Amino acid sequence: MAMIKKDVSFKLLRSAVHRVNAASPSRCHQAQRATTNATTTIVSQAPQHVTAAVAGKDGDNIFNFDDTKTLFASVPTGKLLHSAATLNVAAVEPMVDLSLWVMNSKLMDFPLFKKVVMGTIKYTAYDHFVAGGDTVETGKTVRRLWNSGVRGMLDYGVEHAVDNESCDKAAQHLIKTAESTQSLPPSSVGFVAVKVTALCPVYLLKRLSDLLRWEHKNSSFKLPWKQQTLPIFSETSPFYHTLQQPAPLNGEEEDDLELAQKRLMRVCEKAFEGNVRIVIDAEDTAIQPAIDYLTYWAAIKYNEPQRPMVYGTIQAFMKDAGERITMTKIAADKMNLPAGFKIVRGAYMSSERELANSLGVESPIHDTIENTHECYNRCAAFMLDQISKRPGGLILATHNLNSASLAAKKAREYAIGKDSGKLEFASLYGMADAMTFALRNAGFPVSKYLPFGPVDQIMPYLLRRAEENKGMLSSSALDRQLMMKELKRRMKAYFTEKETQYKARANSMAN
């Protein structure tokens, strides 16, 4: 059986190499330039103190994509072949559309059909983009990554609870996730990702957001349940969700809010026992104010004097992102509170624009992708400057080479080293591996966001993310080309070794 598997893998590898040989020798560099050129339009708009970089060109000491042997040294050939094949399929947008249609169709009501579909997904996209089905399988992924110099961010794939019972179950899963880090190598997991939508019913998050918006616009409006927090809004934040004064929370809702806070506290405290920090994910604008409120409440409660233990998330595709991160950081400094942020581009572009358009109001999302890139780079530059002077933390979650290069060079200028504990580059498991390994080789701390959970539970979540990020999947050309280049190199090395062995045996027999 092992011999059959080896023979099949060999044939697949030979087929993959044949594809590379049929292509132009410069395809890898073309893909690299295309990935970089897609973002170089923002360089002239970026802050003047941020140095522009073109990844991969001679003299660039951040990214080195020429030596694929060193780049993918920690990746077994079977894994590399599987990754290259999966990314090639995922780059075809109609495949995402077809997958979504199938998953949402009535065909899934037929047990046999569903079994076939879920089995196919399990051994293709799931194995590539998901770290495991439970904490045991995910722990193996963490150890493998840790051995290659990459840390993990554990993300249990549960979200959007509807009542206290489902919130309690989700909290137990998150506590178990945090607890599992204590049996893993020290520092191999830097963060546990938390979705507040799993700990607090979504209806209550909407109610809280409405009340927080109304309070911000009406200073005489008081919220008796509100505890100490940090600024949530800027004057340019969207307020159109709340067009009239909302009713105050009733007694049951206040009790539910207290329960949600206790759940978040238990998850935080269990993570801190293993010296693992918490990063709270962002959602859509209808509920984001409540998420920020709970995030900053927890940050005030738990952040240590010299480092943040609870990180919030800033979505750079929001027009108010730069103002909000600045206001929040300044307010935290006045409290002598080290602030931690994860900066992302965002994943609700279409839905946010559609909602704003339906209400006849200005979209809260930047008008162009170039503006989003510029906002991301400005937020990153601001936070790098801040954490170079005082305690704080920054997670730069990106698959964008230009943003990563700009930030890495700025971090070097500020001497924000790998051991400072202040900076982490992060990307999704199964995405932007070349960038991850290049940053690792350049001496920067890197992590992979590791979603995990049973296939039937996590695939709807992943498919939603795939739909929201089709462009990200189709822009994986650099990863795909570098993987194919390395597969070709390994194939040549394999045949060279076999030829050498054959000649050695022939000479031995002749003698």
Side-chain angles (χ1 to χ4, degrees):
M1 185 67 181
M3 182 65 70
I4 293 174
K5 288 183 178 179
K6 182 178 180 180
D7 185 58
V8 171
S9 296
F10 179 80
K11 290 179 179 178
L12 288 171
L13 180 57
R14 184 170 57 191
S15 174
V17 172
H18 176 73
R19 289 182 57 192
V20 175
N21 284 330
S24 166
S26 62
R27 281 181 64 191
C28 179
H29 293 287
Q30 291 172 357
Q32 184 176 310
R33 288 195 299 270
T35 306
T36 302
N37 291 341
T39 57
T40 51
T41 54
I42 67 170
V43 174
S44 62
Q45 301 172 346
Q48 292 183 357
H49 57 277
V50 177
T51 305
V54 180
K57 284 197 172 183
D58 293 340
D60 185 341
N61 57 359
I62 299 297
F63 296 118
N64 177 11
F65 296 132
D66 294 327
D67 183 5
T68 58
K69 180 179 180 180
T70 301
L71 197 65
F72 293 108
S74 60
V75 185
T77 298
K79 173 68 174 175
L80 196 63
L81 182 58
H82 184 275
S83 297
T86 302
L87 286 176
N88 271 287
V89 173
V92 182
E93 289 193 13
M95 290 298 296
V96 178
D97 295 330
L98 177 62
S99 299
L100 286 166
W101 181 85
V102 169
M103 290 294 292
N104 294 319
S105 73
K106 292 184 178 180
L107 292 172
M108 295 296 287
D109 294 334
F110 295 93
L112 181 59
F113 182 84
K114 182 177 180 179
K115 183 178 180 180
V116 171
V117 170
M118 299 308 286
T120 301
I121 290 173
K122 170 68 174 69
Y123 293 105
T124 53
Y126 180 91
D127 277 355
H128 181 76
F129 294 109
V130 181
D134 53 29
T135 55
V136 175
E137 291 182 2
T138 305
K140 295 177 182 178
T141 302
V142 169
R143 288 185 175 90
R144 177 173 57 80
L145 290 172
W146 181 240
N147 289 336
S148 68
V150 178
R151 299 208 298 178
M153 294 184 176
L154 301 188
D155 178 22
Y156 183 72
V158 60
E159 57 179 4
H160 286 74
V162 296
D163 54 31
N164 283 322
E165 182 179 359
S166 57
C167 286
D168 288 338
K169 290 180 180 178
Q172 287 304 312
H173 282 300
L174 288 169
I175 289 170
K176 184 178 179 181
T177 299
E179 191 173 37
S180 72
T181 64
Q182 298 180 32
S183 63
L184 295 171
S187 301
S188 61
V189 174
F191 294 86
V192 168
V194 172
K195 296 175 179 63
V196 172
T197 53
L199 300 177
C200 181
V202 174
Y203 88 90
L204 182 55
L205 292 174
K206 291 180 178 178
R207 291 275 288 122
L208 296 175
S209 296
D210 281 336
L211 289 161
L212 289 165
R213 276 188 286 261
W214 197 262
E215 180 208 36
H216 181 82
K217 301 295 288 186
N218 302 270
S219 57
S220 61
F221 188 71
K222 303 300 180 184
L223 302 176
W225 47 266
K226 186 178 179 182
Q227 299 183 41
Q228 189 177 23
T229 187
L230 295 170
I232 295 170
F233 304 103
S234 73
E235 292 308 310
T236 60
S237 296
F239 293 93
Y240 50 77
H241 297 279
T242 312
L243 300 178
Q244 57 185 0
Q245 181 173 328
L249 295 184
N250 58 38
E252 183 179 355
E253 290 171 328
E254 288 195 16
D255 290 342
D256 286 350
L257 173 58
E258 185 176 354
L259 287 174
Q261 290 175 301
K262 287 181 178 179
R263 293 184 193 106
L264 180 56
M265 288 169 59
R266 291 201 301 272
V267 174
C268 287
E269 288 164 3
K270 181 58 67 174
F272 302 156
E273 287 178 13
N275 197 33
V276 174
R277 291 166 287 180
I278 292 292
V279 57
I280 297 181
D281 288 340
E283 301 288 343
D284 59 273
T285 56
I287 59 176
Q288 188 58 42
I291 293 171
D292 285 339
Y293 165 71
L294 290 169
T295 299
Y296 299 145
W297 163 80
I300 291 173
K301 183 176 181 64
Y302 291 113
N303 282 7
E304 298 175 352
Q306 293 301 313
R307 69 167 183 164
M309 299 299 293
V310 178
Y311 284 55
T313 299
I314 295 291
Q315 300 183 96
F317 73 175
M318 296 291 297
K319 293 177 180 177
D320 67 346
E323 295 176 349
R324 286 192 297 111
I325 195 171
T326 302
M327 291 172 57
T328 305
K329 183 65 173 66
I330 291 174
D333 289 344
K334 290 181 179 178
M335 297 172 61
N336 291 319
L337 180 75
F341 296 98
K342 178 181 72 171
I343 304 178
V344 302
R345 277 171 170 76
Y348 300 93
M349 188 174 296
S350 298
S351 58
E352 293 287 7
R353 283 176 173 164
E354 288 173 5
L355 175 61
N357 184 61
S358 69
L359 296 174
V361 297
E362 180 183 348
S363 171
I365 305 302
H366 284 299
D367 297 330
T368 66
I369 187 63
E370 289 78 16
N371 289 343
T372 296
H373 292 327
E374 178 186 4
C375 182
Y376 185 98
N377 291 341
R378 287 184 185 277
C379 290
F382 168 75
M383 278 303 300
L384 286 167
D385 176 72
Q386 292 295 303
I387 64 176
S388 71
K389 301 173 181 176
R390 55 183 66 85
L394 175 62
I395 302 170
L396 290 174
T398 183
H399 302 116
N400 184 287
L401 283 174
N402 195 69
S403 291
S405 184
L406 290 171
K409 288 192 171 185
K410 182 55 62 177
R412 280 186 173 173
E413 290 177 22
Y414 285 132
I416 302 174
K418 184 175 183 178
D419 298 327
S420 69
K422 293 183 174 183
L423 174 64
E424 194 92 8
F425 286 94
S427 58
L428 291 172
Y429 183 63
M431 293 295 298
D433 286 349
M435 185 183 77
T436 297
F437 296 144
L439 285 167
R440 173 204 62 190
N441 292 348
F444 291 97
V446 290
S447 288
K448 282 295 186 183
Y449 220 69
L450 303 178
F452 72 96
V455 61
D456 57 339
Q457 174 181 303
I458 202 170
M459 283 316 299
Y461 158 74
L462 290 177
L463 286 170
R464 282 196 297 276
R465 293 297 173 265
E467 184 178 30
E468 292 157 355
N469 295 285
K470 288 180 187 177
M472 182 180 70
L473 291 170
S474 62
S475 68
S476 62
L478 178 60
D479 264 357
R480 289 181 276 129
Q481 297 301 333
L482 288 172
M483 287 176 180
M484 297 301 287
K485 179 182 176 182
E486 173 58 12
L487 286 169
K488 176 182 177 181
R489 187 202 66 77
R490 291 185 186 187
M491 176 62 85
K492 286 184 175 180
Y494 173 82
F495 282 124
T496 299
E497 181 183 2
K498 290 299 181 183
E499 183 179 3
T500 301
Q501 291 174 356
Y502 174 79
K503 289 180 178 180
R505 286 197 299 268
N507 291 335
S508 176
M509 292 175 65
N511 292 332

